[in-house]
Amino acid sequence: MRRNPPRPRPPRPATRRSPGCCWLAPRMTTEDAYGDLLDGIGHGVPQVLDASTSEYAGLLAAHRGAAAEATAEGLDPRSTLLLLFTSGSTGAPKAVICSTGRWAFICQVNPITFTSDDVAYNAMPIFHGNALMSALGPCLANGAAFAMRRRFSASGFLPDIRRFGATFFNYVGRSLSYVLAQPERPEESDNQLRFGFGTEASVRDRAEFSRRYGCPLLESYGSSEGTCYIICTPGTPDGALGVPQQGFAVEIVNPLGEVCPPARFDASGVMLNPADAIGEIVSRGAAARFEGYYKNPGASQDRLRDGDFWTGDLGYRDEQGFYWFAGRTADWLRVDSENFGAAPVERILSRFPGVTAAAVYPVPDPVTGDHVMAALEFSGGEFDPGAFGSFLGEQPDLGTKQAPRLVRVTTNLPMTATHKVSKPALRRMLWNGEDPVYERIGERYVLMTADRRGVLEAEYARHGRDHLLGL
């Protein structure tokens, strides 16, 4: 509910739904700042259009006011409309094929409903699935206005939503944290936002945004491949994904294809059966929804098994039937013969005061299995290793094997193009780089020195595991 009376609506921004727009495939469109990225990949592309030139402006002007004309390709639901790249947070991005039929279906059955009076403020790059499926598409389907700036700005968020009279905005967890890092201002609640929609924001950030802006936030889990959707419903616990959307049969499955039992917890919230309860999120019978990865049949086949789609994400289901995210399959950690996922540990570390983002990932143990390593992003202030060690000892739901052995402290976590933390980059850095790294010795965290790095690396060599440090 809006806490202040609505202000008079400003003029509606122009929508991006020009009646004269057309697809210029197989041309490529870029601008001067990024043109060099296309060097060497122009085979089969007869023309590269530079959006910063007068030539490009002339092409658009020639269609201004033109009547929309249907083409055979546009009316064919099997036509490839666009390639949607996966995040690349745990490996190389893959180009997901999205047909005109799939996009039209998603835009029309999307639970995000707009009217012609709505203004959607898009805070994500237009190539992001969140922008295409949760903002631009529903706007086109419902006649709502679509507003965006050239580049996302955390400091510009508040002026933008007020200037456009935005009633909706979309986000990912990182963009929301950037907005909240801005100094609080009394005029934040003076807005027309009805709700926001996104993914991967922390419980704390969602609550803080709702407090400051008077706007509820909705989240869901969905695969870029369009095969699996889990949505929040009334009663969903804080931090949980929710339950499968109607029409999707989702299960948590172990590597043998067996359904995992529900997770059980003790009175402190520690999971009692992580090795049994955590498995891969699998969408049953969803292979037919998957249109494949562009020119990557091997990767496409890896996702399919007996008509089911294996998402590559880990999760678990609690005894009430709610689903929880546990990381990517690459986020499995094995410590002292105990397996667990990274995401539950990240949720705990994010509670530490000053942490704006936390990433947990495995690095090799010198002898066997993994060490738990964490990278903590601080927006400001000093990291207190003593306070951090005390904090971990006070977390009742932190398992005995889950406390990080190594902690990197940084002001900027490495990010992918889709604003997700790049764990491959973190794993490659190990304990090297400019950021301070702390090592847990006993119950204390001690700053790692160059001498200690040498001793640690020699230990890997002594056990014949030094080759793992270059992976």
Side-chain angles (χ1 to χ4, degrees), residues 349 359-366 371-376 383 388 402-409 430-432 436-441 445-446 448 452-453 456 460:
L349 299 187
V360 172
Y361 48 97
V363 296
D365 181 283
H371 277 327
V372 181
M373 188 163 184
L376 305 179
F383 174 72
F388 182 70
Q402 296 177 343
R405 174 68 181 272
L406 298 161
V407 177
R408 175 181 295 275
V409 179
L430 295 170
W431 39 79
N432 302 308
V437 173
Y438 293 82
E439 181 180 16
R440 182 164 58 96
I441 299 177
Y445 282 90
V446 178
M448 182 177 280
R452 174 55 188 157
R453 291 189 184 98
L456 182 59
Y460 284 88

Side-chain angles (χ1 to χ4, degrees), residues 94-373:
K94 295 182 288 293
V96 181
I97 298 170
C98 180
S99 66
T100 56
R102 175 187 161 200
W103 197 53
F105 177 79
I106 291 173
C107 295
Q108 294 178 68
V109 303
N110 200 307
I112 298 173
T113 56
F114 296 137
T115 71
S116 58
D117 291 327
D118 277 302
V119 178
Y121 178 69
N122 174 55
M124 298 302 301
I126 200 65
F127 61 77
H128 199 291
N130 186 307
L132 291 167
M133 311 299 187
S134 303
L136 178 59
C139 282
L140 292 173
N142 295 283
F146 179 77
M148 64 182 296
R149 63 159 55 225
R150 183 171 180 80
R151 185 182 298 273
F152 170 75
S153 167
S155 62
F157 177 81
L158 177 60
D160 278 354
I161 62 170
R162 299 183 71 195
R163 175 166 62 98
F164 290 127
T167 60
F168 165 87
F169 80 102
N170 58 318
Y171 66 88
V172 293
R174 297 297 295 160
S175 63
L176 195 72
S177 69
Y178 294 147
V179 170
L180 293 173
Q182 299 298 306
E184 186 169 355
R185 297 164 62 178
E187 62 267 31
E188 287 174 345
S189 61
D190 183 15
N191 65 71
Q192 298 188 54
L193 290 174
R194 291 196 297 115
F195 69 108
F197 175 84
T199 59
E200 300 181 345
S202 69
V203 173
R204 181 179 62 188
D205 281 357
R206 296 201 303 269
E208 180 67 0
F209 185 88
S210 294
R211 180 189 72 80
R212 287 171 55 170
Y213 284 80
C215 168
L217 300 181
L218 307 177
E219 292 223 351
S220 74
Y221 165 91
S223 65
S224 300
E225 296 84 356
T227 55
C228 183
Y229 292 98
I230 300 175
I231 59 174
C232 278
T233 56
T236 298
D238 286 343
L241 298 175
V243 297
Q245 185 173 343
Q246 186 175 1
F248 290 84
V250 180
E251 291 181 329
I252 307 298
V253 178
N254 67 24
L256 299 177
E258 302 164 339
V259 177
C260 296
R264 294 181 290 104
F265 300 86
D266 65 14
S268 299
V270 175
M271 191 186 301
L272 300 174
N273 59 338
D276 294 328
I278 295 177
E280 190 164 346
I281 301 174
V282 173
S283 189
R284 298 295 196 192
R289 302 177 188 264
F290 180 41
E291 297 180 310
Y293 299 120
Y294 183 69
K295 292 187 177 181
N296 198 343
S300 299
Q301 193 56 43
D302 287 344
R303 284 280 177 254
L304 305 177
R305 191 185 304 179
D306 298 326
D308 301 331
F309 184 86
W310 292 60
T311 64
D313 288 332
L314 297 173
Y316 58 90
R317 181 171 52 87
D318 64 26
E319 293 181 308
Q320 286 69 48
F322 292 104
Y323 287 67
W324 298 71
F325 183 66
R328 297 285 294 169
T329 49
D331 285 342
W332 266 118
L333 295 99
R334 184 171 179 82
V335 179
D336 296 339
S337 300
E338 181 176 315
N339 297 322
F340 55 90
V345 185
E346 291 170 346
R347 287 194 286 268
I348 295 171
L349 299 187
S350 295
R351 302 171 190 162
F352 186 63
V355 171
T356 56
V360 172
Y361 48 97
V363 296
D365 181 283
V367 180
T368 184
D370 301 317
H371 277 327
V372 181
M373 188 163 184

